[in-house]
Amino acid sequence: MIRSINTLLVPIPTIRAHKLACTVMNEQVLVLVHIQTEDGYEGWGEATTIGGLSYAEESPHSIKTNIDTYFTPLLLKEQPASAAKAMQLLNLHINGNRFAKCAIETALLDIEGKRLNLPVSELIGGRVRDRIEVAWTLASGNTATDISEAKQMMAQKRHRIFKLKIGSNPILEDVAHVLAIKQALPDCRITVDVNQAWSELEAMKGISLLQAGDVDLIEQPISMRNKTALKRLTEHFDVPIMADEVVQDPQNAFQLAADHCADVFAVKINQAGGLKAACLIGHMAHLAGVELYGGTMLEGPIGTAASAHVFATYPSLRFDTELFGPLLLTEDILAQPLDYQNFGLSVPTGAGLGIEVDSDKVYHYAKQAAATL
Ligand code: MUC
Ligand code: MG
């Protein structure tokens, strides 16, 4: 029986400003869900998003309000006997709210895994890899700073794949920035993420120049609303085009995969509406011949561990992952940090998510933040 569900907003400063086309982040507000059962188990989930409402349709505050007002009373009343039954119930009674649903499912799977003494990756389909390679996003906004940051990451064996956030400057300026970095790091895979900022015509021009400069992957160059234009760009260019914001729930991903609107899908557990939904998207994409990339909403360690369990089940992960969220934060909330070394992340092996949350710290931060509102 579920005894309690607590939703916590935990703001943590980032190690530097993180610039995207839609916002500049100086802190990340982690949205954490803590579920406790009558027989003494506890589980954690995370529904973090980026930049309030500037990236997605759910904000930290709307996620907390909707869980506290609608999800929690329903779950406490109905007492679903498993994570699968809980998701069936939530999907029947609650529209949308994919981030909130993901956090609840994660916490319930964490509990289920602990009860069965199995890692979440084994519960949701079976893990086929124990380690995943992790890219880093260079987003300081300054070319020289980005190059020295990348060189430092390589020297520390932390990352050798880099993603650049562009789209907020004129195209030629952004292209010059990217090509300077590509030339300085010729052996690294370089992805650019435009975060929907270009029109189709701008994308034709920008991607031509980036392709000529040997950039390796182009992420969500145009609006998520224009799927046919994304398909046209995918057909027109040799450089792989990756869909990100447009990849949402499995139904919508099915259509995108069937129409081959992109060469690669960035899958994010929160955007997908949960861990099992993200597994389904990965398997569908694979069957349709679409390559996979493990995306992040810049979650802290809970959402990152949950994502790692999902990506560990993918039949192929050709473009690796960007599960670096915890490394962008100035504070850890785990008793033992996630294991990042040799350019990758080890998928936790313990029961459930395989992590131990420092709950005193998390509750303390959440209380401090609530007091300053
Ligand atoms: C996105 O659009 O991919 C992931 C990494 C990063 O720097 O921003 C996010 C969101
Ligand atoms: Mg993206």
Side-chain angles (χ1 to χ4, degrees), residues 24-59:
V24 180
M25 298 168 60
N26 287 293
E27 71 167 14
Q28 179 60 306
V29 182
L30 307 184
V31 186
L32 307 183
V33 168
H34 183 205
I35 300 186
Q36 289 173 291
T37 66
E38 291 294 354
D39 59 345
Y41 285 96
E42 66 171 359
W44 287 88
E46 182 170 353
T48 297
T49 183
I50 292 172
L53 279 171
S54 64
Y55 190 95
E57 290 167 352
E58 291 169 67
S59 74

Side-chain angles (χ1 to χ4, degrees), residues 136-351:
W136 177 255
T137 295
L138 299 167
S140 71
N142 177 283
T143 311
T145 310
D146 282 358
I147 292 172
S148 81
E149 193 173 296
K151 288 190 168 160
Q152 233 176 310
M153 295 295 178
M154 285 163 63
Q156 293 167 1
K157 291 192 153 200
R158 274 257 308 266
H159 308 277
R160 58 188 166 193
I161 306 171
F162 298 99
K163 168 158 138 173
L164 314 183
K165 292 296 207 179
I166 60 171
S168 56
N169 300 311
I171 297 178
L172 292 183
E173 214 175 285
D174 269 343
V175 168
H177 166 75
V178 175
L179 297 188
I181 293 175
K182 178 72 189 173
Q183 275 155 23
L185 309 167
D187 300 329
C188 295
R189 190 189 309 156
I190 299 287
T191 304
V192 299
D193 190 354
V194 193
N195 282 121
Q196 314 185 64
W198 287 342
S199 68
E200 187 175 2
L201 271 181
E202 287 170 334
M204 287 296 288
K205 179 173 174 185
I207 299 172
S208 297
L209 297 168
L210 293 168
Q211 179 171 277
D214 277 340
V215 168
D216 301 274
L217 183 61
I218 313 286
E219 178 172 343
Q220 198 67 55
I222 54 162
S223 166
M224 56 181 274
R225 296 179 183 280
N226 199 345
K227 294 177 191 152
T228 43
L230 190 65
K231 181 173 163 67
R232 278 193 291 274
L233 295 172
T234 299
E235 283 166 354
H236 184 84
F237 289 106
D238 291 335
V239 58
I241 305 288
M242 179 154 76
D244 180 15
E245 285 91 324
V246 65
V247 181
Q248 301 199 347
D249 59 24
Q251 178 68 60
N252 137 287
F254 171 78
Q255 213 53 59
L256 288 170
D259 294 345
H260 207 94
C261 290
D263 300 299
V264 187
F265 282 179
V267 186
K268 297 175 174 168
I269 57 170
N270 279 308
Q271 288 271 54
L275 277 61
K276 301 242 291 273
C279 285
L280 189 54
I281 292 174
H283 283 81
M284 274 186 326
H286 181 70
L287 292 175
V290 172
E291 300 287 356
L292 288 163
Y293 177 88
T296 179
M297 287 302 288
L298 300 175
E299 293 102 337
I302 299 173
T304 298
S307 302
H309 281 286
V310 168
F311 305 146
T313 71
Y314 281 4
S316 146
L317 199 49
R318 161 83 176 73
F319 285 89
D320 302 293
T321 79
E322 56 177 22
L323 290 183
F324 66 87
L327 302 172
L328 191 63
L329 304 177
T330 50
E331 284 284 341
D332 204 344
I333 56 161
L334 299 186
Q336 279 294 324
L338 293 176
D339 181 16
Y340 285 97
Q341 44 179 316
N342 249 328
F343 307 108
L345 168 68
S346 301
V347 184
T349 50

